[in-house]
Amino acid sequence: MRFPVRWFVLGCLALHSQAIQAQASPDTAPTTLNEAIPFQLGSGFLIVVEGSIGALTPLKFILDTGASHTVVDRKIADKLSLPRQKGKVLNFDRYAKVQWTNLAELQLGPLDARDVHVMVSDLKQFSEFAEGVDAIVGLDLLRTSQSLWIDYGKRLVAFKTLVAYVPVNSENVPALIVRLPVQGQTMHLIVDTGLQGMLLYADRLRGHMPQLKLTDKIAEAHEGRLSGEKVKLAGIILGPHELQASVLLLRGAPHSLPYDIDGYCGTGLLNAQLIELDFASNTIRWQ
């Protein structure tokens, strides 16, 4: 299990109950939507695509539904001589200093965003997975499309876009949340394309699912700079299938994380060839 750089303005995440449709076949193939663009699978799970910021192209972007805001590497802001304001965000379990700026234009396939308020930071300082990456595109931009299609088999992503770019309120970016049946109970997890595996918070599980059984515990497990327990979680129901997953269990959730949330779930758990993240209907479908 590997965790890349994470960026969350957790106090701004709005809790929305999302539907999860098991094995639902998407109605339209990605190639019939707006022009599909190729992606590379970084470190075996990260979706890395090419895009542009202003006149700078081609740039490498990670698509990350677990990040509420888009983050641009400091070298890009320096090249564009962008004015910045100081700030800080919660990065999983600690605050990190960042800067804020406005981009005149960021383009990713059919997504053409103008006057975008983004964070600026040295990405490689926080994770080895951000080496060579120019920006992490978060939900504030991804949610400006109606849906995002990820074809792991063909290594393509496609967007169903609105007629015109409509910015999402940057102070209230709704997370994609699934209600996942586990051992006869319901777990609430943020869907995270920037995460491999599953991350859960022990204090949330004690409060929401006190009867949950975790096995094969390994104390003092480390994943990058995160420290917790490594455990196995069985009894996960995905459509007609029951499976188990390896989980990094952290002791306590940040106070700014909505109380209903138990953790994060990478899309690799679905073991799917094709995934549709429908932002308009708050639904995830896969096959």
Side-chain angles (χ1 to χ4, degrees), residues 192-245:
D192 192 345
T193 58
L195 175 69
Q196 184 184 51
M198 185 182 292
L199 182 148
L200 300 174
Y201 293 103
D203 59 338
R204 297 294 172 87
L205 298 183
R206 286 193 300 269
H208 300 155
M209 308 175 70
Q211 305 303 317
L212 191 72
K213 294 181 180 180
L214 302 171
T215 61
D216 301 335
K217 294 184 180 182
I218 301 175
E220 299 184 7
H222 299 277
E223 298 290 350
R225 65 172 184 78
L226 296 175
S227 299
E229 288 184 302
K230 198 73 169 289
V231 300
K232 287 288 181 64
L233 175 63
I236 302 171
I237 305 300
L238 286 172
H241 305 292
E242 180 174 334
L243 52 85
Q244 69 174 9

Side-chain angles (χ1 to χ4, degrees), residues 111-191:
L111 292 183
D112 188 5
R114 307 296 179 97
D115 192 24
V116 188
H117 194 53
V118 299
M119 286 186 277
V120 179
S121 189
D122 184 359
L123 296 182
K124 67 178 183 296
Q125 178 181 343
F126 290 85
S127 172
E128 66 272 24
F129 298 113
E131 182 69 35
V133 173
D134 300 296
I136 296 175
V137 178
L139 276 175
D140 55 340
L141 291 186
L142 296 177
R143 270 195 173 273
T144 63
S145 65
Q146 292 185 41
S147 62
L148 167 64
W149 301 68
I150 307 169
D151 189 328
Y152 287 100
K154 297 179 180 179
R155 293 288 196 273
L156 294 173
V157 294
F159 296 90
K160 185 176 183 180
T161 57
L162 302 171
V163 176
Y165 166 68
V166 179
V168 173
N169 181 0
S170 62
E171 297 302 319
N172 187 22
V173 183
L176 272 174
I177 299 165
V178 294
R179 300 189 299 270
L180 189 65
V182 180
Q183 298 178 17
Q185 304 170 80
T186 301
M187 190 175 286
H188 292 79
L189 303 174
I190 293 175
V191 178

Side-chain angles (χ1 to χ4, degrees), residues 9 29 74 76 123 265:
V9 183
R74 184 172 288 116
I76 299 299
L123 296 182
C265 174

Side-chain angles (χ1 to χ4, degrees), residues 10 30 32 46 49 65 70 98 131 148 158 191 219 227 230 233 235 239 241 249-250:
L10 291 176
T32 66
L46 291 171
V49 299
T65 61
T70 294
V98 297
E131 182 69 35
L148 167 64
V191 178
S227 299
K230 198 73 169 289
L233 175 63
H241 305 292
L249 185 66
L250 300 187

Side-chain angles (χ1 to χ4, degrees), residues 81-121:
S81 300
L82 297 174
R84 283 159 261 184
Q85 302 82 41
K86 293 182 179 180
K88 63 180 181 178
V89 296
L90 189 63
N91 183 15
F92 257 134
D93 57 355
R94 67 186 174 100
Y95 281 97
K97 292 182 180 179
V98 297
Q99 296 175 321
W100 293 88
T101 192
N102 288 333
L103 301 179
E105 182 180 17
L106 183 150
Q107 188 162 15
L108 168 60
L111 292 183
D112 188 5
R114 307 296 179 97
D115 192 24
V116 188
H117 194 53
V118 299
M119 286 186 277
V120 179
S121 189

